[in-house]
Amino acid sequence: MNDLQLMRPVKARRHVGQAISVRGLRDDIRRADGINAKIAVFLTNIVGSMWCAYVFAIIALIGLRPALRPGGEGIIAWIAQTFLQLVLLSVIMVGQNVQSEASDLRSLHTYQDSLLILDRLNIHTDGGLKDLADRIDSLEAALKKSGA
């Protein structure tokens, strides 16, 4: 495989398992400083999972029947106040985690590409650009000598 070949595009589906998993929860909590930060990390990881979104959807659906009764809160209120707030909170958090993972991977690829370009330019030894300028100057001198 050529170093200059483009890497595969970032696919969100490859990162879903990492972004919504509670397996790394213990490590995330250990890295947090202070009890309040540990609680916040724990709650964010739990609420930001698809399992929590499923639980919230079930809770919201339980409240649908009373909302449809005459004199109840009504379907519009149920959708706006119950379903959207409960379910979409978790789904949005999961989406942000997936996008963050994909963004981190894109940043890593950009960094690796930049390193490759800088290595190809050989900037650590007076720079590849200086080498190119010297070659152009030698070609110009050779052209002048040949009378062209």
Side-chain angles (χ1 to χ4, degrees):
M1 181 173 148
N2 188 352
D3 289 338
L4 293 177
Q5 279 183 331
L6 296 176
M7 293 184 190
R8 289 187 201 170
V10 175
K11 301 279 185 181
R13 65 181 158 78
R14 294 183 186 158
H15 307 289
V16 171
Q18 297 169 355
I20 63 175
S21 172
V22 291
R23 292 181 185 150
L25 182 59
R26 185 178 298 148
D27 294 334
D28 290 342
I29 291 173
R30 283 188 190 144
R31 283 183 279 178
D33 235 2
I35 189 71
N36 288 333
K38 290 180 187 304
I39 291 170
V41 167
F42 175 77
L43 290 176
T44 301
N45 282 337
I46 295 300
V47 173
S49 69
M50 283 306 295
W51 292 111
C52 190
Y54 299 143
V55 169
F56 284 170
I58 292 168
I59 291 170
L61 290 174
I62 290 170
L64 177 60
R65 189 170 181 203
L68 296 176
R69 286 191 191 138
E73 64 184 54
I75 189 68
I76 301 298
W78 175 83
I79 290 172
Q81 295 173 357
T82 305
F83 192 78
L84 291 179
Q85 288 181 14
L86 280 177
V87 178
L88 287 184
L89 167 73
S90 294
V91 172
I92 289 169
M93 290 177 72
V94 169
Q96 287 176 335
N97 288 340
V98 171
Q99 288 176 340
S100 174
E101 291 284 331
S103 175
D104 290 347
L105 189 60
R106 281 192 304 270
S107 296
L108 177 64
H109 288 172
T110 300
Y111 174 74
Q112 290 170 342
D113 291 344
S114 299
L115 283 180
L116 180 65
I117 290 167
L118 289 175
D119 185 53
R120 299 289 171 136
L121 289 175
N122 194 14
I123 63 169
H124 300 292
T125 57
D126 248 351
L129 295 177
K130 183 179 181 320
D131 294 340
L132 289 174
D134 291 345
R135 285 186 181 179
I136 290 171
D137 290 342
S138 66
L139 286 172
E140 285 178 348
L143 286 173
K144 286 180 184 176
K145 285 183 184 177
S146 68

